[in-house]
Amino acid sequence: EAGVAQSPRYKIIEKRQSVAFWCNPISGHATLYWYQQILGQGPKLLIQFQNNGVVDDSQLPKDRFSAERLKGVDSTLKIQPAKLEDSAVYLCASRPWTGGAKTQYFGPGTRLLVL
Amino acid sequence: GIQVEQSPPDLILQEGANSTLRCNFSDSVNNLQWFHQNPWGQLINLFYIPSGTKQNGRLSATTVATERYSLLYISSSQTTDSGVYFCAGSYNQGGKLIFGQGTELSVKP
């Protein structure tokens, strides 16, 4: 079974530029999460999708961050314009909505450096 | 919101030693998971353990849900065990995970 895929793996941009990250969850997983992990801290949820609907975006800085999951599969997270404090690893995770263990599986992450 | 506290924050071991990592929750959680974050940043699932005890090779975990803590045991540690260990739990059906600050483990040869 293929895992959660993310791209790009690394990105370096200057502040005020825009950037987009892509995630492809495990096949059949209805729930998709984007987490932000700042160096030295645990991941923190930015947004959660159930199929193509938003379940929780309470921690998403909506003035600069946006995310979509148009067909209930792939998702894109965008930052525009980026700030220095957005430098972090952006992790995508997925899990089944119903049945069995509610284990979340994480992708390899996208490491963003804002200069 | 729920607070997750992990201890110790750092741990240095000689290869072959055993260790216990602890995770305390400020409130009841479900969907409790332990992860190992390797030096490349990948979060690897170790255990899904909302209650009870599980073992996988040299690793085992115990969660006492009524007392709001979980323990991760590493026996006969190897250098490849180095990295950061996170516990995380969720408190609602949606499954949003609240992570601790992690325990950074370094195993010396």
Side-chain angles (χ1 to χ4, degrees):
Chain A
E1 177 182 80
V4 178
Q6 290 188 247
S7 67
R9 294 295 310 276
Y10 305 93
K11 192 74 177 178
I12 301 174
I13 62 173
E14 296 191 349
K15 60 183 179 183
R16 291 188 290 274
Q17 286 187 325
S18 63
V19 65
F21 313 128
W22 174 82
C23 172
N24 183 244
I26 292 172
S27 177
H29 282 192
T31 310
L32 184 148
Y33 310 83
W34 283 101
Y35 290 84
Q36 179 192 59
Q37 186 178 18
I38 293 171
L39 187 65
Q41 300 181 16
K44 294 180 180 177
L45 183 76
L46 290 175
I47 189 167
Q48 175 186 344
F49 292 94
Q50 168 64 17
N51 295 312
N52 61 350
V54 175
V55 174
D56 185 347
D57 64 355
S58 57
Q59 300 301 307
L60 188 73
K62 298 180 187 65
D63 57 335
R64 297 184 301 106
F65 285 65
S66 65
E68 60 184 12
R69 193 183 184 200
L70 291 176
K71 297 183 179 180
V73 180
D74 294 9
S75 178
T76 303
L77 177 69
K78 297 179 181 177
I79 308 175
Q80 183 179 9
K83 292 186 175 181
L84 297 178
E85 58 261 36
D86 298 332
S87 294
V89 178
Y90 292 85
L91 295 161
C92 180
S94 71
R95 72 162 210 191
W97 178 247
T98 61
K102 302 295 193 294
T103 306
Q104 285 189 34
Y105 297 90
F106 283 78
T110 296
R111 194 174 299 270
L112 174 67
L113 179 59
V114 182
L115 302 175
Chain B
I2 288 181
Q3 304 297 315
V4 182
E5 183 179 314
Q6 289 188 244
S7 60
D10 304 282
L11 188 57
I12 300 175
L13 299 175
Q14 282 298 126
E15 202 167 24
N18 303 328
S19 63
T20 301
L21 282 56
R22 185 178 179 104
C23 181
N24 290 329
F25 293 87
S26 60
D27 204 343
S28 298
V29 295
N30 52 34
N31 298 339
L32 195 155
Q33 291 185 240
W34 282 96
F35 298 90
H36 175 213
Q37 190 163 45
N38 64 24
W40 297 271
Q42 174 81 53
L43 273 172
I44 298 165
N45 283 297
L46 297 178
F47 294 102
Y48 172 83
I49 186 165
S51 64
T53 297
K54 289 186 178 179
Q55 180 158 6
N56 184 3
R58 296 181 295 103
L59 302 182
S60 64
T62 295
T63 296
V64 183
T66 53
E67 297 187 22
R68 301 198 295 265
Y69 74 87
S70 184
L71 303 173
L72 177 69
Y73 306 96
I74 305 174
S75 64
S76 304
S77 59
Q78 300 176 358
T79 56
T80 51
D81 294 332
S82 296
V84 183
Y85 289 80
F86 287 102
C87 65
S90 64
Y91 56 90
N92 60 21
Q93 179 66 21
K96 160 187 171 180
L97 286 176
I98 309 297
F99 282 78
Q101 291 293 91
T103 291
E104 184 162 8
L105 174 65
S106 179
V107 181
K108 304 296 185 184

